[in-house]
Amino acid sequence: MLRSRFVSSLIRSGVQARSLASLSGQKFKLPDLSYDYNALEPYISADIMKLHHQKHHQAYVNNLNVAIEKIAEAQAKGDVSKVIALQPALRFNGGGHINHSIFWETLSPKGGGEPGGDLKAMIKKDFGSFDNLKKTLSETAVGVQGSGWAWLGLDPQNGQLKIAACANQDPLEAMTGLLPLFGIDVWEHAYYLQYKNVRPDYVKAIFNIANWEAVSKKLAEYRARVGTK
């Protein structure tokens, strides 16, 4: 996730020539899944998982690498207009890679239930109950117009958990400053083969495979990183 945070910082602050130079000779790669494509059934079918991971996520990775290479070439030539013109490709494909990498990590065939430990306590403090969190996050996901994501994130400024929606593949941290904990992908490619146009059923099903243990680990890493208590 260090390199994903790096891409997020590029998107947020604008691409620096020195930053791109540090990526020289490196390529972003499609992350392996820690479970089989059929492991999340019946909530997400193997066909969807295979298409989503091998085709859609792979396309974001490929296009991110191309965008970074083209931006580096344009900077080397001093072509500022070209650098600016390539920013949407960086934002879209870099965001797609970041978002999906988190998505796979926070799903599990052994998921579901409710979170425990510090995450449970913070949810109670900031949302009143886990049911309230689920309701708000679900409503946000269902309410996204067109394609996008609904996120549970940590506000590094005050240590609170917050919910936000991002359009298209906009990455949460780069766009809002919130640190992403758990996201629901509501692009149709994430669910249409199985749920058709009934997005609420897909959103409801996601909670049966939510990997709250992974989310809790991510929360602890973020809090250590930003010094929140």
Side-chain angles (χ1 to χ4, degrees):
M1 290 304 296
L2 287 174
R3 296 182 75 204
S4 291
R5 289 206 301 269
F6 178 74
V7 174
S8 188
S9 69
L10 292 183
I11 296 169
R12 172 185 286 182
S13 61
V15 179
Q16 304 283 331
R18 185 178 301 172
S19 298
L20 279 175
S22 70
L23 281 179
S24 178
Q26 300 184 46
K27 295 288 185 181
F28 286 92
K29 297 180 180 179
L30 181 72
D32 293 331
L33 300 183
S34 62
Y35 41 82
D36 294 333
Y37 287 125
N38 64 357
L40 303 183
E41 292 183 335
Y43 306 109
I44 301 181
S45 71
D47 286 343
I48 288 177
M49 286 298 299
K50 189 173 183 179
L51 179 68
H52 200 172
H53 181 251
Q54 291 186 353
K55 301 300 182 181
H56 290 280
H57 191 174
Q58 183 67 70
Y60 297 127
V61 172
N62 293 344
N63 291 329
L64 171 61
N65 287 325
V66 170
I68 289 175
E69 184 176 335
K70 287 183 176 180
I71 292 171
E73 291 174 355
Q75 288 184 316
K77 296 176 181 178
D79 190 344
V80 177
S81 294
K82 184 67 172 179
V83 171
I84 294 171
L86 287 164
Q87 295 304 301
L90 176 68
R91 175 172 169 172
F92 183 77
N93 294 292
H97 178 46
I98 292 170
N99 295 339
H100 285 87
S101 296
I102 297 169
F103 188 59
W104 310 132
E105 289 178 357
T106 54
L107 299 179
S108 170
K110 298 180 180 179
E114 298 189 12
D118 289 345
L119 179 59
K120 178 179 180 179
M122 290 183 68
I123 288 173
K124 183 175 181 180
K125 176 176 68 73
D126 294 330
F127 296 96
S129 69
F130 179 64
D131 284 342
N132 285 343
L133 166 67
K134 284 178 62 176
K135 181 175 183 293
T136 305
L137 185 57
S138 296
E139 289 174 347
T140 300
V142 172
V144 171
Q145 294 185 345
S147 300
W149 293 73
W151 289 98
L152 172 66
L154 175 68
D155 188 333
Q157 300 302 316
N158 56 26
Q160 293 181 346
L161 297 178
K162 295 182 179 179
I163 288 172
C166 290
N168 300 311
Q169 293 295 352
D170 286 355
L172 183 70
E173 183 178 1
M175 297 298 106
T176 70
L178 299 178
L179 305 177
L181 290 167
F182 180 73
I184 301 177
D185 184 354
V186 291
W187 278 69
E188 287 191 343
H189 65 236
Y191 63 89
Y192 200 85
L193 287 178
Q194 184 172 356
Y195 293 94
K196 306 306 179 188
N197 64 334
V198 190
R199 185 188 287 181
D201 286 356
Y202 157 73
V203 171
K204 181 179 179 181
I206 281 289
F207 288 97
N208 291 300
I209 47 177
N211 187 349
W212 296 117
E213 182 177 342
V215 176
S216 293
K217 181 179 179 181
K218 193 175 293 292
L219 173 64
E221 292 172 351
Y222 285 152
R223 294 173 80 186
R225 175 178 137 199
V226 301
T228 60
K229 297 181 179 179

